[in-house]
Each structure stands twice: as structure tokens, then as C-alpha cells.
Amino acid sequence: VKWQVKMSSIVEHSILGALLDLLEDMILRDVNHVARIGVAGLHQFLIGAGPNFNAFIWKKLCVSLKRIFAATTPTVLENYDIMMEDEVGSKEAAVEDKKKSIPFSSDGVLTMCIVQLQLLQALGDAAVSSFRSASKGNEMVIAEEEISTIFSIFQDRAEFAQRFNSHASFRMELSRRGFMSVKDSSAKQPPPNLLRQETISLGRYNQFLFLLHEGKQSVS
């Protein structure tokens, strides 16, 4: 409760813009632990203050989140051709040589995936709170432009994750090279996937549609 009171006071304070800029800067830093601290801070802010956001805050927040999601999308996971061409060229090499090269920073990509997953959960909670309030007859504090932005964020994440999850051969090759594998594990591990990103994004998207439809019915 004390945390929510503090976050609510920040919402109406002039430092709000500076706080969002600081958290965004931390999340976009090319230092894994700094980025994770930044997303944890933004997550707590959304949870604590989300129910008290007004239209102005939602507008600023959506602009910031749109930049963050664009910058932290691990697009290297769609470089199928580069990875598979490398695989074809190394067929005659030793197994150890095949495993040694992943054409991107594993830690950096993992951080991006964690950042996006946590932000999807936090943004989903904050948006659902506002949508649910509007569905009960209260004023909708999120403008149409920001609602569209929220929907597009979740749709884009779901589509990106679905493309990666559907590319089985690419995922198997990443697994053979040690991406997302647990060291010193004798158990057979499944190939890397973005199932949580896909299911959370689709689930929230459908939940938003239901709540908005319910809200329109209550207004009518």
C-alpha cells in the first residue's frame, strides 16, 4: 500500500517525465544488469501507479514503450539464412566446431527476451486495469491512439514470437550451438522458443478485445 501511495504521488508530480526517461535509458543500455534493473523499476512503476494513470501519462508511456519494444526486439533471431548457410558450410567440420559459433551475443539476446517478457506482463496488467474500469462504466482514460499502440505492441510481439517458434530447423540449429542451453546438464533440452511471449501477447490481446467490447455495451 505504501508503495502504491508513493507511485501515485509520482504520477501527479513534475518528475514523471524524467523518471520515464531515466528508466528507458537504463533499459536500452548495452549492459545486461543495468537493463534488467531498469525494466524491474518500470515494472514496479506500472504495477504501483497504473490504476491512477490519466490520458496524458498513458500517451507519454506509450511513446516510451513503443521505442523500448522496437529497440529490444531480438531481430537477430530472424537471420535464418545466415545461420543455415553457415550450417551448410560446416557439414564437414567437427561437431565441436559446429557448436562454437553463434552469430550474435547470446547474453544480449536473452536480456532482450527477458525485458520484453516483463514489459508485456507489466503493460498488460496496467492496461487491463484501465480497460476493466471503463467496462464498468467509468471514464476511459486511454485515448484511441494509445489503445491502438497497445494493441499493436502485443500483436507485433505475438507475430514475432510465432515466426520464431514455427522455424523448427533454425531453433534446432541454435540449440546445437548452445543457445539458451543449461550448462552441465545431462538431460535432453528442448530447442529454444518464445512460447511465453506468444501466449502472453495473444492472451492479453484477446482480453483487451473482450473488455473493450464489454465497455462499449455498458456505455450503450
Side-chain angles (χ1 to χ4, degrees), residues 3-200:
W3 173 255
Q4 288 185 341
V5 171
K6 290 180 180 179
M7 290 298 98
S8 298
S9 65
I10 290 176
V11 167
E12 299 178 357
H13 200 279
S14 59
I15 67 170
L16 171 64
L19 174 63
L20 288 177
D21 290 342
L22 173 62
L23 292 174
E24 180 180 345
D25 179 66
M26 292 178 67
I27 293 170
L28 298 182
R29 288 287 184 92
D30 192 22
V31 181
N32 292 343
H33 69 275
V34 175
R36 296 190 186 197
I37 291 172
V39 76
L42 183 54
H43 192 167
Q44 289 300 315
F45 175 69
L46 288 171
I47 291 173
N52 299 301
F53 285 173
N54 56 33
F56 171 78
I57 296 169
W58 270 111
K59 184 175 184 64
K60 184 167 182 59
L61 179 65
C62 284
V63 169
S64 179
L65 286 174
K66 194 173 181 180
R67 286 197 299 261
I68 293 173
F69 275 107
T72 59
T73 298
T75 54
V76 292
L77 293 181
E78 292 193 305
N79 289 343
Y80 312 126
D81 294 338
I82 294 177
M83 178 72 82
M84 301 314 291
E85 283 173 7
D86 187 30
E87 159 64 3
V88 170
S90 64
K91 278 186 176 180
E92 297 180 358
V95 174
E96 290 78 11
D97 291 334
K98 283 176 61 180
K99 287 186 176 181
K100 70 180 182 181
S101 63
I102 298 177
F104 52 78
S105 168
S106 294
D107 289 341
V109 170
L110 285 173
T111 297
M112 288 181 177
C113 293
I114 291 171
V115 164
Q116 293 223 339
L117 185 59
Q118 291 183 340
L119 287 181
L120 285 171
Q121 293 170 326
L123 175 58
D125 290 341
V128 163
S129 177
S130 292
F131 292 158
R132 185 168 287 145
S133 176
S135 72
K136 295 178 180 178
N138 297 316
E139 179 186 2
M140 169 57 78
V141 296
I142 309 178
E144 288 189 10
E145 182 178 355
E146 282 64 65
I147 290 176
S148 178
T149 297
I150 293 171
F151 270 93
S152 67
I153 285 174
F154 282 87
Q155 180 178 346
D156 290 347
R157 294 322 104 202
E159 291 177 350
F160 179 87
Q162 193 277 331
R163 289 195 300 272
F164 178 75
N165 292 334
S166 65
H167 209 301
S169 59
F170 180 65
R171 291 166 52 224
M172 289 295 294
E173 180 59 24
L174 286 174
S175 180
R176 281 194 290 270
R177 298 186 185 211
F179 180 61
M180 284 190 180
S181 62
V182 179
K183 295 181 180 179
D184 303 323
S185 176
S186 58
K188 186 177 180 179
Q189 300 176 50
N193 64 73
L194 298 176
L195 288 176
R196 289 192 67 193
Q197 283 88 337
E198 184 177 357
T199 55
I200 287 174

